[in-house]
Amino acid sequence: MAEERIQKILSKAGLGARRKCEALITEGRVTVNGVTVSALGSKADPETEEIAVDGKRVKTVSSNARHIIMFNKPEKCITSASDSRGRPLVMDYFKDYPVRLFPVGRLDFDTEGLLLLTNDGNYAQEITHPKHKVFKTYEAVVAGIPSEETLEKLRVGIMLEDGPTAPAIVRSTGITRDRQRTTRRRDKPLPEVDAAVIHISIREGRKRQVRRMFLAVGHRVIRLRRIAIGKLKLGELKIGKWKVLTEREAELAKQTD
Ligand code: URA
């Protein structure tokens, strides 16, 4: 196998985006066969040489292939790598996967739907960084029926505590009945209320952004599901299941128009 730039090898092994891996090198934390390599642009052969960060051997991916997985995340599981409260982790579903993966962005504990996982830091960056402007589309079931005027406010942008939201694509797809969630497990279930099903596409990825946007216009989100990233749709993939994407499918996630 041919030599490759070390930052690329590290990024493919799941140590983060290319920039972050470059910093690991310049900080002198990377060794190749026990020798510190701190010059950017240095190359190594991931098949035959031992690459380590902070003295810990990096599990390099044996083929040059990048892995991109589409997962239908269930509610009540967390995207972070660990949880002090012992809650189920997304990564529990990938314990036996041969390559070390990491989630592309995050979804809240209570949010279900499309989550990508990859071993390619650059791919992750292209999907998540706001400068690439990839739309993420959510199906939100919200308490009450928002007026057209309210939906227009969300489209144009509203003020949240951390600043104004960028323009969004918002469309009501129907009316239903649903039960608002209680926050404490011991509470009695709340009665059913009229609810609206809204599709909302946003380009930013601020914390609990969709929930906060609806709350700011007076509608609590009852359920939230991500149904698309760019032009990649969740489709019929069952909750808790995943599939490896082809290169073509992976590219769809980057397309916005
Ligand atoms: N917006 C939210 O409020 N939650 C998510 O999980 C994703 C987007």
Side-chain angles (χ1 to χ4, degrees), residues 107-108 111 138 208-211 224:
L107 286 177
D108 295 338
T111 303
Y138 298 84
R208 298 182 76 78
Q209 182 168 342
V210 172
R211 292 175 199 275
L224 190 60

Side-chain angles (χ1 to χ4, degrees), residues 18 66 68 104 114 116 118 120-136 203 228-233 245-257:
R18 195 80 61 91
R66 66 174 183 179
I68 297 165
V104 176
L114 174 49
L116 294 173
T118 185
D120 180 346
N122 287 318
Y123 180 81
Q125 182 84 353
E126 283 181 77
I127 302 292
T128 53
H129 200 287
K131 84 170 182 221
H132 297 296
K133 298 196 178 341
V134 171
F135 272 115
K136 284 101 187 166
R203 290 180 146 160
I229 297 179
K231 284 189 174 169
L232 178 71
K233 296 197 171 115
L245 295 185
T246 62
E247 282 294 314
R248 231 191 108 250
E249 288 169 322
E251 287 306 304
L252 283 178
K254 293 189 202 164
Q255 292 172 19
T256 50
D257 315 299

